Amino acid sequence: MKKFKKFYIEITSICNLACSFCPPTKRQANFIKIDAFKHTLDQIRGHAEYIYFHVKGEPLLHPKIDELLDISHDKGFKVNLTTNGTLLGKNRHKLLGKPALRQMNFSLHSFDGHEGSVDKEGYVGSVLDFVKEAVATTDMIASLRLWNLTPDNETNVKNDRNREILEQIQQTFNLDFRIEERFVRGQGLKIAERVYLNHEEEFKWPDLKEKEDEGRGFCHALRNQAGVLVDGTVIPCCLDGEGVINLGNLHAKPFSEIIEDERATRLYDGFSRREVVEELCRKCGYRQRFSV
C-alpha cells in the first residue's frame, strides 16, 4: 500500500481574499459535506496519517471546521491547517483544544497580497496572539509564513513590508536578536517553543498557459504527497489547484485503485526516470526547486 507523508484535502474551494499570488479557481464554489469528508478519510485510511486542509480556498470559512477536526481525530488522523489568519476571531473556539490539530500555517504574506487590506498591525497582532495562546494551552505547532521574497531579496518593496511584520514578531516574542540576521533561505527559524518562521521566495502556480521547461527532473507528487479536491477529484500534488491532472474521483472509485491506474502510474514512473510526462508538471516552477 502506498503511503504519503502529506495528503491534502480541500474542504472548501472558496476564499475570503483575492491575493495576487493565488490565481482564483474556475471551479464551482463548494464546501465539503460531512458524509463526503468521512468517506474521503475512509478511502485514504492506511495511505496517510497526516492530512492537510488545503489546496485552494480558506479552510476557516467552512462552517463546520470544528466537526471536521473532531471526525479527523476519531478516525486517527492528525491535521495540518493552512490559513490566511483573517478569520481567527470567529473560529478561535472551534480550533483551540482540538486534539487532531497538529499544526497551523499562517500565510502572513496574504495581507500585502490582497488589495484593500487595512490595519496590518492589527492583523498580524491577532495572528500572533492566537499563536501564543495556542502553544501555551495545547501541543500545536505554528508556522508563520512569508512566502513572497523576490529572487534578489535585497532592496525591494516586499522586503520592506516584511520588515514591519518581522519587527512585530520580534516585539511580541521578546526576541533578543533581529530575525533578518538569523534568516537562511530554505530553513525555518525557531521563534519560540513550537513556533517557527518560514521565509521563502514567491512562486508561480503551474498553469497550462505558461512556457514548458525541458521536461526533465523530479517531483514528489504521488511519492510522498497526493490530494483530493472538494468534489472528490484526486490530484497528484497540492499545486494542481484546478484538477488538470484528474486521476479519478474517490466517490466513484476506490482511492487505492485510482493511484495505481494508468495515468497515475505513468506520472510516478516518469519521475522515477527523471522524465516529466504531464504537461502541467512541465510548466511548474515549484518543481524546479528540487529537480535533480
Side-chain angles (χ1 to χ4, degrees):
M1 178 180 288
K2 286 185 179 177
K3 295 193 175 183
F4 305 98
K5 293 180 181 178
K6 301 177 180 180
F7 193 91
Y8 295 87
I9 300 178
E10 182 184 70
I11 63 173
T12 179
S13 57
I14 306 169
C15 190
N16 61 319
L17 300 183
C19 296
S20 58
F21 54 81
C22 188
T25 181
K26 302 179 181 66
R27 294 179 287 117
Q28 181 179 359
N30 205 352
F31 292 97
I32 197 168
K33 305 296 190 296
I34 294 298
D35 287 344
F37 182 72
K38 289 180 178 178
H39 177 75
T40 298
L41 294 188
D42 289 340
Q43 286 287 301
I44 67 170
R45 188 189 301 274
H47 291 283
E49 296 179 15
Y50 298 102
I51 54 177
Y52 291 67
F53 286 179
H54 184 61
V55 178
K56 287 291 190 70
E58 167 52 52
L60 296 191
L61 275 175
H62 200 294
K64 296 183 178 180
I65 182 69
D66 50 346
E67 192 171 344
L68 298 182
L69 288 169
D70 288 338
I71 293 169
S72 299
H73 176 66
D74 291 341
K75 291 184 178 291
F77 291 92
K78 287 291 186 179
V79 177
N80 296 313
L81 189 154
T82 299
T83 175
N84 58 44
T86 58
L87 302 175
L88 286 172
K90 298 178 180 179
N91 290 280
R92 201 181 200 95
H93 64 290
K94 295 183 178 183
L95 300 170
L96 291 174
K98 293 296 183 182
L101 191 53
R102 172 184 175 271
Q103 178 171 325
M104 287 188 69
N105 307 313
F106 300 92
S107 301
L108 298 182
H109 45 278
S110 299
F111 184 92
D112 289 321
H114 177 72
E115 185 177 351
S117 293
V118 295
D119 189 14
K120 187 175 193 172
E121 184 176 354
Y123 159 70
V124 175
S126 67
V127 172
L128 298 184
D129 285 346
F130 176 87
V131 167
K132 291 188 74 173
E133 181 178 359
V135 297
T137 58
T138 74
D139 295 326
M140 192 191 86
I141 300 167
S143 172
L144 307 172
R145 293 180 171 180
L146 283 170
W147 285 7
N148 60 355
L149 298 180
T150 55
D152 59 9
N153 191 32
E154 296 298 333
T155 55
N156 57 73
V157 175
K158 288 180 179 177
N159 203 30
D160 290 339
R161 291 174 177 172
N162 286 352
R163 189 169 289 115
E164 298 171 359
I165 296 177
L166 298 183
E167 290 175 353
Q168 194 168 347
I169 294 172
Q170 290 166 189
Q171 293 172 4
T172 300
F173 288 93
N174 298 313
L175 301 184
D176 58 1
F177 61 88
R178 295 185 69 248
I179 291 173
E180 288 180 283
E181 295 174 352
R182 299 276 185 94
F183 163 63
V184 177
R185 171 166 287 172
Q187 297 182 13
L189 178 65
K190 187 174 183 178
I191 299 298
E193 188 65 30
R194 286 179 282 111
V195 181
Y196 301 88
L197 174 69
N198 291 277
H199 233 155
E200 191 52 84
E201 181 180 328
E202 182 177 349
F203 68 92
K204 284 187 177 181
W205 284 74
D207 193 309
L208 291 177
K209 297 178 182 177
E210 295 293 324
K211 184 179 178 180
E212 286 193 17
D213 61 23
E214 74 286 354
R216 302 290 302 176
F218 179 76
C219 180
H220 295 286
L222 289 184
R223 200 166 301 265
N224 72 4
Q225 67 164 288
V228 58
L229 300 178
V230 68
D231 65 353
T233 298
V234 176
I235 53 176
C237 80
C238 63
L239 292 179
D240 186 5
E242 293 302 295
V244 173
I245 308 176
N246 184 341
L247 300 177
N249 194 297
L250 55 65
H251 297 307
K253 187 174 184 176
F255 174 76
S256 58
E257 294 182 18
I258 290 174
I259 58 174
E260 298 294 347
D261 277 351
E262 181 181 356
R263 189 171 189 180
T265 300
R266 282 194 297 108
L267 183 148
Y268 184 96
D269 290 346
F271 282 129
S272 296
R273 301 187 304 269
R274 303 305 192 261
E275 295 178 7
V276 186
V277 300
E278 289 284 349
E279 180 183 0
L280 186 69
C281 299
R282 295 194 296 270
K283 298 178 177 182
C284 177
Y286 196 82
R287 176 183 62 79
Q288 296 171 0
R289 291 186 179 187
F290 46 78
S291 287
V292 292

